[in-house]
Amino acid sequence: MRIAVLVKDVPDLVEELELDESGRGLAVDDLSYVPSEWDDQALEEALLLKEASGAHVSAVALDTGDVDNMLYTALAKGADRAVKLVGDYDRTLPGRQRARILADYLAGAGYDLVMTGVQAVDDLDGQIAGLLGGMLGWPHASVVRDVAVDSGAVRFVQEYAGGRMAEFRSSTPLVLGVQAAKKPPRYVPIARIRQVSRSAALEEVEAGGSPSESLAAIERLYRPEAQGHATMWDGDAEQVAAALVALLDEQHLRS
Amino acid sequence: MGPIIVVVEMQSDAMSPASAELLSRARQLARAQSTRVVALGFGEAARGALGSSGADDAFLAAGADAYVPTQAEAALRQVLQETAAGLVLLPNTTMGMDLGAATAAAEGRPMVAYATSLAAVEGGAFKATSQVYGGKLVAEVAVPEGSVVTVLPGSWPADEAVSGTTPVRDLVVAGESPMELVRTIEPDTGDVDITRADVLVSVGRGIQDPDNLELADELAEALGAVVSCSRPVVDAGWLPRARQVGKSGQTVKPKLYLALGISGAPEHLQGMKDSEIIVAINSDPTAPIFEVAHYGATCDILELMPILTERLGGAD
């Protein structure tokens, strides 16, 4: 089974999200970026599949910024190959166009299974797994866990609201948007990533230009006007504990 | 303008609340744009719900009673091609994530996800607002005619009463499905049912380490509460799924929801925002959880939990 895991980085939500002058986008050069957490889950699930059934795992990233470290990290974790799709685009590339470039690459790359994060914090114009499924005409499913290889086909579990789930079996090629891996994503020390970056090479593939896609235009990006906001208790943990106990007493919620 | 298509999702043999909300707004938008509402449902179990949906017309893609992504997508695309849809609405659930993006991409339609409001504008188009970046920003988006929009459940109320009967047409979807349903899995309620607790001590990523869960357990015991959590805690394997609050977990409405180290991603808020009293402790003063919480503080939860437990007379 040949697996492609699509990884990307996203703005770090722990940091303040600065807007650009137009008010329609982020000040992309002023932000710090982290690997999208769901892509990490997809990579982990792919590596677990490799360990269980001998799959060949390629980490694939579109070079919209500094993706080398993310790809070396995937290799250090156990991916067999790292592919960087290079072309003339940057971090402002809309998700829909990103999907088209990825779809054009994946269509002829011979993968059986494409795995990526179920969503990303910036996928306003559609989640990548669904977009790829639609563009490639391949079966696809989102919010997926417990992926397994089964006689050339793929089994997986899809999650729904309220804890309900269903198990499916699908032929390949197949695109899955992974919610969670069977185990928490593995950790690799930075020294190991550095070592890999010196010894391993990223495979660069020339990808197409920015394609035209039907897009819905963002007219304004802004911080939510709080419909309400919590009454904040100032002070240290002792003072907050006192306020909380007073609230419990007032509401008769002490057992 | 072509009709507004609403894809209806079933939940325990009834239409999901999110689908009822969409139908309600679709009727208003259809009046504003002088068009009709067409509902689409999957499986025989949806026939009754479609008939009383309040839509002008409905399609039923029969076959398996359960939802199968590939079959549902084929049915939706067939409806779009038959009706020249002016707008396609889906709940931003698993089904919406499967069908929304794929159908938009396959049919060359614009797509807007995570919408929380949707209004008609002149000229046959719409305007949406969506939550992005984990709820930290809102995007106001121009939605051209023909777009696919997925809407976060609970974004607006559903109409209380719907009158009339909607004619339901059977839709025959051609072609073999590459994907087959193996089995459905009912929720595991585990050792406790968090939906029945009066007080929930709910922990998130801020708990940092599974060893710190003991502090939450002791606090819950002192409070007569039950420990619940947000998704990352379950994904890390620190608590079982039965304890998860949110979109893919349980919806809870306790008397007190004590959110410890939970930032308040939209998926989590969806499952707890109707709690009677919400108290949130999170070190990030801009965390979205404070927008739904009644009381909040930014102190260290790992310091707070033992102090609170002691004040409540527990774990000495």
Side-chain angles (χ1 to χ4, degrees), chain B residues 237-275:
Chain B
W238 297 347
L239 280 173
R241 245 181 95 72
R243 304 285 184 126
Q244 185 195 328
V245 173
K247 186 179 86 178
S248 52
Q250 304 292 334
T251 298
V252 297
K253 294 179 185 175
K255 289 180 180 162
L256 173 66
Y257 190 83
L258 179 54
L260 301 171
I262 292 175
S263 63
E267 295 83 7
H268 185 77
L269 301 184
Q270 201 176 308
M272 46 65 73
K273 62 182 164 54
D274 294 328
S275 304

PDB file of all heavy atoms in Angstrom, chain B residues 237-275:
ATOM      1  N   GLY B 237      -5.352   9.922  24.528  1.00  0.00           N
ATOM      2  CA  GLY B 237      -5.542   8.649  25.220  1.00  0.00           C
ATOM      3  C   GLY B 237      -5.585   8.785  26.731  1.00  0.00           C
ATOM      4  O   GLY B 237      -5.447   7.807  27.458  1.00  0.00           O
ATOM      5  N   TRP B 238      -5.796  10.016  27.222  1.00  0.00           N
ATOM      6  CA  TRP B 238      -5.756  10.227  28.676  1.00  0.00           C
ATOM      7  C   TRP B 238      -7.103   9.947  29.347  1.00  0.00           C
ATOM      8  O   TRP B 238      -7.164   9.638  30.516  1.00  0.00           O
ATOM      9  CB  TRP B 238      -5.322  11.667  29.000  1.00  0.00           C
ATOM     10  CG  TRP B 238      -3.932  11.978  28.518  1.00  0.00           C
ATOM     11  CD1 TRP B 238      -2.996  11.070  28.080  1.00  0.00           C
ATOM     12  CD2 TRP B 238      -3.322  13.267  28.406  1.00  0.00           C
ATOM     13  NE1 TRP B 238      -1.848  11.720  27.710  1.00  0.00           N
ATOM     14  CE2 TRP B 238      -2.012  13.068  27.900  1.00  0.00           C
ATOM     15  CE3 TRP B 238      -3.749  14.568  28.688  1.00  0.00           C
ATOM     16  CZ2 TRP B 238      -1.132  14.129  27.682  1.00  0.00           C
ATOM     17  CZ3 TRP B 238      -2.882  15.616  28.469  1.00  0.00           C
ATOM     18  CH2 TRP B 238      -1.585  15.396  27.969  1.00  0.00           C
ATOM     19  N   LEU B 239      -8.204  10.148  28.600  1.00  0.00           N
ATOM     20  CA  LEU B 239      -9.540   9.836  29.125  1.00  0.00           C
ATOM     21  C   LEU B 239     -10.323   9.121  28.028  1.00  0.00           C
ATOM     22  O   LEU B 239     -10.077   9.349  26.833  1.00  0.00           O
ATOM     23  CB  LEU B 239     -10.270  11.113  29.562  1.00  0.00           C
ATOM     24  CG  LEU B 239      -9.904  11.696  30.934  1.00  0.00           C
ATOM     25  CD1 LEU B 239     -10.582  13.053  31.142  1.00  0.00           C
ATOM     26  CD2 LEU B 239     -10.274  10.754  32.071  1.00  0.00           C
ATOM     27  N   PRO B 240     -11.286   8.275  28.419  1.00  0.00           N
ATOM     28  CA  PRO B 240     -12.056   7.557  27.396  1.00  0.00           C
ATOM     29  C   PRO B 240     -13.021   8.484  26.658  1.00  0.00           C
ATOM     30  O   PRO B 240     -13.398   9.550  27.155  1.00  0.00           O
ATOM     31  CB  PRO B 240     -12.817   6.497  28.200  1.00  0.00           C
ATOM     32  CG  PRO B 240     -12.838   7.004  29.592  1.00  0.00           C
ATOM     33  CD  PRO B 240     -11.631   7.862  29.783  1.00  0.00           C
ATOM     34  N   ARG B 241     -13.434   8.035  25.490  1.00  0.00           N
ATOM     35  CA  ARG B 241     -14.321   8.827  24.631  1.00  0.00           C
ATOM     36  C   ARG B 241     -15.640   9.176  25.283  1.00  0.00           C
ATOM     37  O   ARG B 241     -16.237  10.202  24.986  1.00  0.00           O
ATOM     38  CB  ARG B 241     -14.618   8.006  23.368  1.00  0.00           C
ATOM     39  CG  ARG B 241     -14.105   8.588  22.126  1.00  0.00           C
ATOM     40  CD  ARG B 241     -14.470   7.702  20.958  1.00  0.00           C
ATOM     41  NE  ARG B 241     -15.691   8.142  20.319  1.00  0.00           N
ATOM     42  CZ  ARG B 241     -15.795   9.229  19.568  1.00  0.00           C
ATOM     43  NH1 ARG B 241     -14.756   9.995  19.377  1.00  0.00           N
ATOM     44  NH2 ARG B 241     -16.931   9.557  19.009  1.00  0.00           N
ATOM     45  N   ALA B 242     -16.089   8.306  26.179  1.00  0.00           N
ATOM     46  CA  ALA B 242     -17.374   8.548  26.842  1.00  0.00           C
ATOM     47  C   ALA B 242     -17.346   9.854  27.658  1.00  0.00           C
ATOM     48  O   ALA B 242     -18.387  10.391  28.009  1.00  0.00           O
ATOM     49  CB  ALA B 242     -17.727   7.377  27.743  1.00  0.00           C
ATOM     50  N   ARG B 243     -16.140  10.360  27.947  1.00  0.00           N
ATOM     51  CA  ARG B 243     -16.022  11.588  28.748  1.00  0.00           C
ATOM     52  C   ARG B 243     -15.936  12.852  27.888  1.00  0.00           C
ATOM     53  O   ARG B 243     -15.813  13.945  28.418  1.00  0.00           O
ATOM     54  CB  ARG B 243     -14.754  11.513  29.617  1.00  0.00           C
ATOM     55  CG  ARG B 243     -14.668  10.309  30.535  1.00  0.00           C
ATOM     56  CD  ARG B 243     -15.594  10.457  31.721  1.00  0.00           C
ATOM     57  NE  ARG B 243     -15.450   9.353  32.648  1.00  0.00           N
ATOM     58  CZ  ARG B 243     -15.201   9.487  33.944  1.00  0.00           C
ATOM     59  NH1 ARG B 243     -15.078  10.678  34.465  1.00  0.00           N
ATOM     60  NH2 ARG B 243     -15.091   8.427  34.715  1.00  0.00           N
ATOM     61  N   GLN B 244     -15.970  12.689  26.584  1.00  0.00           N
ATOM     62  CA  GLN B 244     -15.730  13.834  25.699  1.00  0.00           C
ATOM     63  C   GLN B 244     -16.976  14.692  25.458  1.00  0.00           C
ATOM     64  O   GLN B 244     -18.026  14.190  25.068  1.00  0.00           O
ATOM     65  CB  GLN B 244     -15.196  13.326  24.365  1.00  0.00           C
ATOM     66  CG  GLN B 244     -14.791  14.448  23.423  1.00  0.00           C
ATOM     67  CD  GLN B 244     -14.609  13.932  22.006  1.00  0.00           C
ATOM     68  OE1 GLN B 244     -14.216  12.794  21.805  1.00  0.00           O
ATOM     69  NE2 GLN B 244     -14.908  14.768  21.041  1.00  0.00           N
ATOM     70  N   VAL B 245     -16.783  15.996  25.660  1.00  0.00           N
ATOM     71  CA  VAL B 245     -17.845  16.972  25.384  1.00  0.00           C
ATOM     72  C   VAL B 245     -17.535  17.643  24.046  1.00  0.00           C
ATOM     73  O   VAL B 245     -16.397  18.001  23.783  1.00  0.00           O
ATOM     74  CB  VAL B 245     -17.883  18.043  26.498  1.00  0.00           C
ATOM     75  CG1 VAL B 245     -18.849  19.165  26.143  1.00  0.00           C
ATOM     76  CG2 VAL B 245     -18.228  17.410  27.824  1.00  0.00           C
ATOM     77  N   GLY B 246     -18.545  17.815  23.204  1.00  0.00           N
ATOM     78  CA  GLY B 246     -18.326  18.555  21.963  1.00  0.00           C
ATOM     79  C   GLY B 246     -18.967  17.896  20.771  1.00  0.00           C
ATOM     80  O   GLY B 246     -19.737  16.955  20.908  1.00  0.00           O
ATOM     81  N   LYS B 247     -18.625  18.407  19.600  1.00  0.00           N
ATOM     82  CA  LYS B 247     -19.272  17.994  18.361  1.00  0.00           C
ATOM     83  C   LYS B 247     -19.254  16.481  18.178  1.00  0.00           C
ATOM     84  O   LYS B 247     -20.269  15.878  17.863  1.00  0.00           O
ATOM     85  CB  LYS B 247     -18.567  18.667  17.180  1.00  0.00           C
ATOM     86  CG  LYS B 247     -19.242  18.412  15.859  1.00  0.00           C
ATOM     87  CD  LYS B 247     -18.530  19.116  14.729  1.00  0.00           C
ATOM     88  CE  LYS B 247     -17.410  18.244  14.202  1.00  0.00           C
ATOM     89  NZ  LYS B 247     -16.702  18.830  13.080  1.00  0.00           N
ATOM     90  N   SER B 248     -18.089  15.866  18.353  1.00  0.00           N
ATOM     91  CA  SER B 248     -18.012  14.424  18.138  1.00  0.00           C
ATOM     92  C   SER B 248     -18.177  13.660  19.450  1.00  0.00           C
ATOM     93  O   SER B 248     -18.057  12.439  19.478  1.00  0.00           O
ATOM     94  CB  SER B 248     -16.692  14.056  17.459  1.00  0.00           C
ATOM     95  OG  SER B 248     -15.618  14.598  18.169  1.00  0.00           O
ATOM     96  N   GLY B 249     -18.446  14.378  20.540  1.00  0.00           N
ATOM     97  CA  GLY B 249     -18.692  13.720  21.818  1.00  0.00           C
ATOM     98  C   GLY B 249     -20.118  13.970  22.278  1.00  0.00           C
ATOM     99  O   GLY B 249     -21.052  13.901  21.481  1.00  0.00           O
ATOM    100  N   GLN B 250     -20.283  14.268  23.538  1.00  0.00           N
ATOM    101  CA  GLN B 250     -21.618  14.455  24.102  1.00  0.00           C
ATOM    102  C   GLN B 250     -21.984  15.937  24.177  1.00  0.00           C
ATOM    103  O   GLN B 250     -21.109  16.797  24.310  1.00  0.00           O
ATOM    104  CB  GLN B 250     -21.679  13.873  25.523  1.00  0.00           C
ATOM    105  CG  GLN B 250     -21.283  12.412  25.598  1.00  0.00           C
ATOM    106  CD  GLN B 250     -22.289  11.502  24.907  1.00  0.00           C
ATOM    107  OE1 GLN B 250     -23.462  11.844  24.802  1.00  0.00           O
ATOM    108  NE2 GLN B 250     -21.830  10.367  24.424  1.00  0.00           N
ATOM    109  N   THR B 251     -23.279  16.201  24.124  1.00  0.00           N
ATOM    110  CA  THR B 251     -23.782  17.549  24.392  1.00  0.00           C
ATOM    111  C   THR B 251     -24.287  17.557  25.831  1.00  0.00           C
ATOM    112  O   THR B 251     -25.092  16.699  26.199  1.00  0.00           O
ATOM    113  CB  THR B 251     -24.918  17.898  23.421  1.00  0.00           C
ATOM    114  OG1 THR B 251     -24.367  17.872  22.097  1.00  0.00           O
ATOM    115  CG2 THR B 251     -25.494  19.267  23.697  1.00  0.00           C
ATOM    116  N   VAL B 252     -23.787  18.472  26.621  1.00  0.00           N
ATOM    117  CA  VAL B 252     -24.126  18.478  28.050  1.00  0.00           C
ATOM    118  C   VAL B 252     -24.755  19.814  28.448  1.00  0.00           C
ATOM    119  O   VAL B 252     -24.487  20.851  27.837  1.00  0.00           O
ATOM    120  CB  VAL B 252     -22.858  18.215  28.911  1.00  0.00           C
ATOM    121  CG1 VAL B 252     -22.286  16.832  28.625  1.00  0.00           C
ATOM    122  CG2 VAL B 252     -21.798  19.286  28.691  1.00  0.00           C
ATOM    123  N   LYS B 253     -25.606  19.766  29.457  1.00  0.00           N
ATOM    124  CA  LYS B 253     -26.223  20.988  29.991  1.00  0.00           C
ATOM    125  C   LYS B 253     -26.253  20.913  31.507  1.00  0.00           C
ATOM    126  O   LYS B 253     -27.336  20.916  32.107  1.00  0.00           O
ATOM    127  CB  LYS B 253     -27.652  21.130  29.452  1.00  0.00           C
ATOM    128  CG  LYS B 253     -27.732  21.362  27.957  1.00  0.00           C
ATOM    129  CD  LYS B 253     -29.166  21.467  27.488  1.00  0.00           C
ATOM    130  CE  LYS B 253     -29.213  21.579  25.992  1.00  0.00           C
ATOM    131  NZ  LYS B 253     -30.570  21.562  25.444  1.00  0.00           N
ATOM    132  N   PRO B 254     -25.102  20.809  32.160  1.00  0.00           N
ATOM    133  CA  PRO B 254     -25.111  20.689  33.625  1.00  0.00           C
ATOM    134  C   PRO B 254     -25.466  22.019  34.298  1.00  0.00           C
ATOM    135  O   PRO B 254     -25.508  23.063  33.635  1.00  0.00           O
ATOM    136  CB  PRO B 254     -23.662  20.299  33.940  1.00  0.00           C
ATOM    137  CG  PRO B 254     -22.875  20.945  32.849  1.00  0.00           C
ATOM    138  CD  PRO B 254     -23.742  20.880  31.623  1.00  0.00           C
ATOM    139  N   LYS B 255     -25.692  21.957  35.606  1.00  0.00           N
ATOM    140  CA  LYS B 255     -25.920  23.208  36.348  1.00  0.00           C
ATOM    141  C   LYS B 255     -24.638  24.036  36.388  1.00  0.00           C
ATOM    142  O   LYS B 255     -24.680  25.249  36.351  1.00  0.00           O
ATOM    143  CB  LYS B 255     -26.383  22.877  37.771  1.00  0.00           C
ATOM    144  CG  LYS B 255     -27.797  22.317  37.793  1.00  0.00           C
ATOM    145  CD  LYS B 255     -28.213  21.996  39.202  1.00  0.00           C
ATOM    146  CE  LYS B 255     -29.632  21.428  39.194  1.00  0.00           C
ATOM    147  NZ  LYS B 255     -29.936  20.707  40.435  1.00  0.00           N
ATOM    148  N   LEU B 256     -23.498  23.338  36.503  1.00  0.00           N
ATOM    149  CA  LEU B 256     -22.207  24.039  36.494  1.00  0.00           C
ATOM    150  C   LEU B 256     -21.230  23.286  35.603  1.00  0.00           C
ATOM    151  O   LEU B 256     -21.030  22.079  35.769  1.00  0.00           O
ATOM    152  CB  LEU B 256     -21.622  24.130  37.918  1.00  0.00           C
ATOM    153  CG  LEU B 256     -20.196  24.692  37.993  1.00  0.00           C
ATOM    154  CD1 LEU B 256     -20.136  26.153  37.578  1.00  0.00           C
ATOM    155  CD2 LEU B 256     -19.609  24.516  39.400  1.00  0.00           C
ATOM    156  N   TYR B 257     -20.627  24.014  34.687  1.00  0.00           N
ATOM    157  CA  TYR B 257     -19.581  23.459  33.826  1.00  0.00           C
ATOM    158  C   TYR B 257     -18.299  24.210  34.154  1.00  0.00           C
ATOM    159  O   TYR B 257     -18.175  25.398  33.890  1.00  0.00           O
ATOM    160  CB  TYR B 257     -19.951  23.658  32.357  1.00  0.00           C
ATOM    161  CG  TYR B 257     -19.052  22.915  31.392  1.00  0.00           C
ATOM    162  CD1 TYR B 257     -19.266  21.576  31.108  1.00  0.00           C
ATOM    163  CD2 TYR B 257     -17.987  23.559  30.762  1.00  0.00           C
ATOM    164  CE1 TYR B 257     -18.456  20.881  30.220  1.00  0.00           C
ATOM    165  CE2 TYR B 257     -17.168  22.869  29.872  1.00  0.00           C
ATOM    166  CZ  TYR B 257     -17.408  21.542  29.602  1.00  0.00           C
ATOM    167  OH  TYR B 257     -16.605  20.857  28.721  1.00  0.00           O
ATOM    168  N   LEU B 258     -17.361  23.516  34.771  1.00  0.00           N
ATOM    169  CA  LEU B 258     -16.088  24.128  35.157  1.00  0.00           C
ATOM    170  C   LEU B 258     -15.045  23.711  34.123  1.00  0.00           C
ATOM    171  O   LEU B 258     -14.590  22.561  34.117  1.00  0.00           O
ATOM    172  CB  LEU B 258     -15.700  23.657  36.571  1.00  0.00           C
ATOM    173  CG  LEU B 258     -14.389  24.173  37.153  1.00  0.00           C
ATOM    174  CD1 LEU B 258     -14.310  25.692  37.117  1.00  0.00           C
ATOM    175  CD2 LEU B 258     -14.205  23.666  38.593  1.00  0.00           C
ATOM    176  N   ALA B 259     -14.703  24.633  33.233  1.00  0.00           N
ATOM    177  CA  ALA B 259     -13.791  24.336  32.118  1.00  0.00           C
ATOM    178  C   ALA B 259     -12.372  24.712  32.536  1.00  0.00           C
ATOM    179  O   ALA B 259     -12.068  25.881  32.760  1.00  0.00           O
ATOM    180  CB  ALA B 259     -14.209  25.126  30.882  1.00  0.00           C
ATOM    181  N   LEU B 260     -11.513  23.723  32.632  1.00  0.00           N
ATOM    182  CA  LEU B 260     -10.149  23.949  33.108  1.00  0.00           C
ATOM    183  C   LEU B 260      -9.157  23.694  31.983  1.00  0.00           C
ATOM    184  O   LEU B 260      -9.029  22.566  31.509  1.00  0.00           O
ATOM    185  CB  LEU B 260      -9.845  23.015  34.282  1.00  0.00           C
ATOM    186  CG  LEU B 260     -10.777  23.156  35.490  1.00  0.00           C
ATOM    187  CD1 LEU B 260     -10.522  22.041  36.505  1.00  0.00           C
ATOM    188  CD2 LEU B 260     -10.587  24.523  36.144  1.00  0.00           C
ATOM    189  N   GLY B 261      -8.498  24.753  31.531  1.00  0.00           N
ATOM    190  CA  GLY B 261      -7.502  24.588  30.472  1.00  0.00           C
ATOM    191  C   GLY B 261      -8.120  24.223  29.139  1.00  0.00           C
ATOM    192  O   GLY B 261      -7.510  23.518  28.345  1.00  0.00           O
ATOM    193  N   ILE B 262      -9.337  24.702  28.902  1.00  0.00           N
ATOM    194  CA  ILE B 262     -10.027  24.471  27.623  1.00  0.00           C
ATOM    195  C   ILE B 262     -10.118  25.809  26.900  1.00  0.00           C
ATOM    196  O   ILE B 262     -10.637  26.781  27.448  1.00  0.00           O
ATOM    197  CB  ILE B 262     -11.446  23.893  27.867  1.00  0.00           C
ATOM    198  CG1 ILE B 262     -11.336  22.475  28.436  1.00  0.00           C
ATOM    199  CG2 ILE B 262     -12.260  23.904  26.576  1.00  0.00           C
ATOM    200  CD1 ILE B 262     -12.679  21.863  28.818  1.00  0.00           C
ATOM    201  N   SER B 263      -9.600  25.872  25.657  1.00  0.00           N
ATOM    202  CA  SER B 263      -9.569  27.163  24.955  1.00  0.00           C
ATOM    203  C   SER B 263     -10.945  27.528  24.399  1.00  0.00           C
ATOM    204  O   SER B 263     -11.270  28.691  24.265  1.00  0.00           O
ATOM    205  CB  SER B 263      -8.544  27.117  23.825  1.00  0.00           C
ATOM    206  OG  SER B 263      -8.927  26.154  22.868  1.00  0.00           O
ATOM    207  N   GLY B 264     -11.723  26.514  24.047  1.00  0.00           N
ATOM    208  CA  GLY B 264     -13.061  26.802  23.538  1.00  0.00           C
ATOM    209  C   GLY B 264     -13.152  26.816  22.027  1.00  0.00           C
ATOM    210  O   GLY B 264     -13.727  27.730  21.433  1.00  0.00           O
ATOM    211  N   ALA B 265     -12.577  25.806  21.382  1.00  0.00           N
ATOM    212  CA  ALA B 265     -12.741  25.668  19.927  1.00  0.00           C
ATOM    213  C   ALA B 265     -14.230  25.502  19.635  1.00  0.00           C
ATOM    214  O   ALA B 265     -14.978  24.987  20.468  1.00  0.00           O
ATOM    215  CB  ALA B 265     -11.968  24.447  19.431  1.00  0.00           C
ATOM    216  N   PRO B 266     -14.674  25.962  18.441  1.00  0.00           N
ATOM    217  CA  PRO B 266     -16.111  25.891  18.119  1.00  0.00           C
ATOM    218  C   PRO B 266     -16.692  24.494  18.344  1.00  0.00           C
ATOM    219  O   PRO B 266     -17.839  24.364  18.796  1.00  0.00           O
ATOM    220  CB  PRO B 266     -16.150  26.267  16.632  1.00  0.00           C
ATOM    221  CG  PRO B 266     -14.943  27.103  16.411  1.00  0.00           C
ATOM    222  CD  PRO B 266     -13.896  26.598  17.357  1.00  0.00           C
ATOM    223  N   GLU B 267     -15.901  23.449  18.032  1.00  0.00           N
ATOM    224  CA  GLU B 267     -16.407  22.077  18.175  1.00  0.00           C
ATOM    225  C   GLU B 267     -16.706  21.748  19.637  1.00  0.00           C
ATOM    226  O   GLU B 267     -17.575  20.943  19.932  1.00  0.00           O
ATOM    227  CB  GLU B 267     -15.378  21.065  17.650  1.00  0.00           C
ATOM    228  CG  GLU B 267     -15.094  21.157  16.167  1.00  0.00           C
ATOM    229  CD  GLU B 267     -14.068  22.229  15.824  1.00  0.00           C
ATOM    230  OE1 GLU B 267     -13.462  22.822  16.742  1.00  0.00           O
ATOM    231  OE2 GLU B 267     -13.890  22.504  14.625  1.00  0.00           O
ATOM    232  N   HIS B 268     -15.952  22.338  20.544  1.00  0.00           N
ATOM    233  CA  HIS B 268     -16.197  22.087  21.969  1.00  0.00           C
ATOM    234  C   HIS B 268     -17.398  22.896  22.451  1.00  0.00           C
ATOM    235  O   HIS B 268     -18.284  22.367  23.131  1.00  0.00           O
ATOM    236  CB  HIS B 268     -14.953  22.412  22.804  1.00  0.00           C
ATOM    237  CG  HIS B 268     -15.128  22.063  24.256  1.00  0.00           C
ATOM    238  ND1 HIS B 268     -15.053  20.760  24.703  1.00  0.00           N
ATOM    239  CD2 HIS B 268     -15.419  22.815  25.334  1.00  0.00           C
ATOM    240  CE1 HIS B 268     -15.291  20.742  26.010  1.00  0.00           C
ATOM    241  NE2 HIS B 268     -15.507  21.974  26.416  1.00  0.00           N
ATOM    242  N   LEU B 269     -17.418  24.176  22.076  1.00  0.00           N
ATOM    243  CA  LEU B 269     -18.507  25.062  22.530  1.00  0.00           C
ATOM    244  C   LEU B 269     -19.865  24.494  22.136  1.00  0.00           C
ATOM    245  O   LEU B 269     -20.849  24.615  22.872  1.00  0.00           O
ATOM    246  CB  LEU B 269     -18.331  26.463  21.954  1.00  0.00           C
ATOM    247  CG  LEU B 269     -17.019  27.181  22.297  1.00  0.00           C
ATOM    248  CD1 LEU B 269     -17.045  28.600  21.743  1.00  0.00           C
ATOM    249  CD2 LEU B 269     -16.773  27.215  23.799  1.00  0.00           C
ATOM    250  N   GLN B 270     -19.890  23.873  20.979  1.00  0.00           N
ATOM    251  CA  GLN B 270     -21.130  23.289  20.467  1.00  0.00           C
ATOM    252  C   GLN B 270     -21.741  22.306  21.470  1.00  0.00           C
ATOM    253  O   GLN B 270     -22.948  22.148  21.532  1.00  0.00           O
ATOM    254  CB  GLN B 270     -20.774  22.555  19.178  1.00  0.00           C
ATOM    255  CG  GLN B 270     -21.877  22.303  18.240  1.00  0.00           C
ATOM    256  CD  GLN B 270     -21.314  21.664  16.968  1.00  0.00           C
ATOM    257  OE1 GLN B 270     -20.385  22.161  16.353  1.00  0.00           O
ATOM    258  NE2 GLN B 270     -21.880  20.546  16.581  1.00  0.00           N
ATOM    259  N   GLY B 271     -20.892  21.667  22.264  1.00  0.00           N
ATOM    260  CA  GLY B 271     -21.380  20.629  23.165  1.00  0.00           C
ATOM    261  C   GLY B 271     -21.671  21.099  24.579  1.00  0.00           C
ATOM    262  O   GLY B 271     -22.171  20.312  25.397  1.00  0.00           O
ATOM    263  N   MET B 272     -21.367  22.373  24.928  1.00  0.00           N
ATOM    264  CA  MET B 272     -21.531  22.767  26.335  1.00  0.00           C
ATOM    265  C   MET B 272     -22.070  24.182  26.539  1.00  0.00           C
ATOM    266  O   MET B 272     -22.279  24.619  27.658  1.00  0.00           O
ATOM    267  CB  MET B 272     -20.206  22.610  27.114  1.00  0.00           C
ATOM    268  CG  MET B 272     -18.954  23.145  26.466  1.00  0.00           C
ATOM    269  SD  MET B 272     -18.860  24.936  26.218  1.00  0.00           S
ATOM    270  CE  MET B 272     -18.610  25.514  27.885  1.00  0.00           C
ATOM    271  N   LYS B 273     -22.306  24.916  25.435  1.00  0.00           N
ATOM    272  CA  LYS B 273     -22.619  26.343  25.595  1.00  0.00           C
ATOM    273  C   LYS B 273     -23.954  26.597  26.279  1.00  0.00           C
ATOM    274  O   LYS B 273     -24.194  27.698  26.743  1.00  0.00           O
ATOM    275  CB  LYS B 273     -22.538  27.078  24.266  1.00  0.00           C
ATOM    276  CG  LYS B 273     -23.503  26.637  23.190  1.00  0.00           C
ATOM    277  CD  LYS B 273     -23.224  27.443  21.939  1.00  0.00           C
ATOM    278  CE  LYS B 273     -23.813  26.916  20.695  1.00  0.00           C
ATOM    279  NZ  LYS B 273     -25.180  26.629  20.578  1.00  0.00           N
ATOM    280  N   ASP B 274     -24.808  25.587  26.353  1.00  0.00           N
ATOM    281  CA  ASP B 274     -26.099  25.784  27.012  1.00  0.00           C
ATOM    282  C   ASP B 274     -26.102  25.365  28.484  1.00  0.00           C
ATOM    283  O   ASP B 274     -27.166  25.248  29.091  1.00  0.00           O
ATOM    284  CB  ASP B 274     -27.193  25.039  26.243  1.00  0.00           C
ATOM    285  CG  ASP B 274     -27.396  25.635  24.852  1.00  0.00           C
ATOM    286  OD1 ASP B 274     -27.204  26.856  24.720  1.00  0.00           O
ATOM    287  OD2 ASP B 274     -27.707  24.889  23.911  1.00  0.00           O
ATOM    288  N   SER B 275     -24.921  25.117  29.051  1.00  0.00           N
ATOM    289  CA  SER B 275     -24.835  24.809  30.480  1.00  0.00           C
ATOM    290  C   SER B 275     -25.374  25.998  31.281  1.00  0.00           C
ATOM    291  O   SER B 275     -25.250  27.146  30.853  1.00  0.00           O
ATOM    292  CB  SER B 275     -23.376  24.560  30.885  1.00  0.00           C
ATOM    293  OG  SER B 275     -22.817  23.533  30.100  1.00  0.00           O
TER     294      SER B 275
END
